[in-house]
Structures are given as C-alpha cells and as structure tokens.
Amino acid sequence: MAKSRNNLLGVGGQRKKLSRADQQSAGSARVADRKAAEDKKQELVRKMRERAEAQTATTAEPSADQDASPSAEQS
C-alpha cells in the first residue's frame, strides 16, 4: 500500500510531558537550570571580552613605545 501524502498526523513533532509542578504553574527546576546556564554564558562572554580588550591594549602599547623611542633620541 502506498504512503498517503494527505495524512499529516505527527508532522508537528511531539509535545513534552509536563511534570505535576509545570501543570500546576509552579516553577520547575528546568527554568532554574536555564537561568544558571545563561548566567554562566554571560560570565564567559564577559571574560572573553576582557581578555580580547587586554590583548589589543598590549599589542597597541609596544607600537606606541617604538614611536616614542626615536623621538626621545632626537631631542
């Protein structure tokens, strides 16, 4: 028997099973876990930005020192 193209049953995916706490609109551990993961991600992004800024600052300083050295020798 050929597959029917008209039958769309199950195409939308499956629903997750709700715990009793979720059914009663109480906060679940899943929400807390997501918040903790988001906090960790924000902290990691902040650290990475600080390192990138520090690295660009240290790479910019030696070129400034090199420019300052010849002018000091000419004086």
Side-chain angles (χ1 to χ4, degrees), residues 37-49:
E38 184 66 26
D39 292 342
K40 287 180 184 177
K41 182 179 176 183
Q42 292 297 329
E43 182 68 18
L44 180 63
V45 169
R46 184 187 62 79
K47 286 180 182 177
M48 290 175 68
R49 284 185 182 150

Side-chain angles (χ1 to χ4, degrees), residues 4-13:
S4 172
R5 301 289 180 204
N6 297 334
N7 187 5
L8 298 177
L9 184 64
V11 171

Side-chain angles (χ1 to χ4, degrees), residues 7 22-23 28-29 32 39-40 51 63-64 68 72-73:
N7 187 5
D22 288 336
Q23 290 174 358
S28 68
D39 292 342
K40 287 180 184 177
R51 287 180 188 161
S63 63
E73 292 174 4

Side-chain angles (χ1 to χ4, degrees), residues 12-25:
Q14 296 179 351
R15 293 183 183 181
K16 72 178 183 84
K17 300 203 174 178
L18 296 175
S19 66
R20 287 186 184 214
D22 288 336
Q23 290 174 358
Q24 295 172 358
S25 299

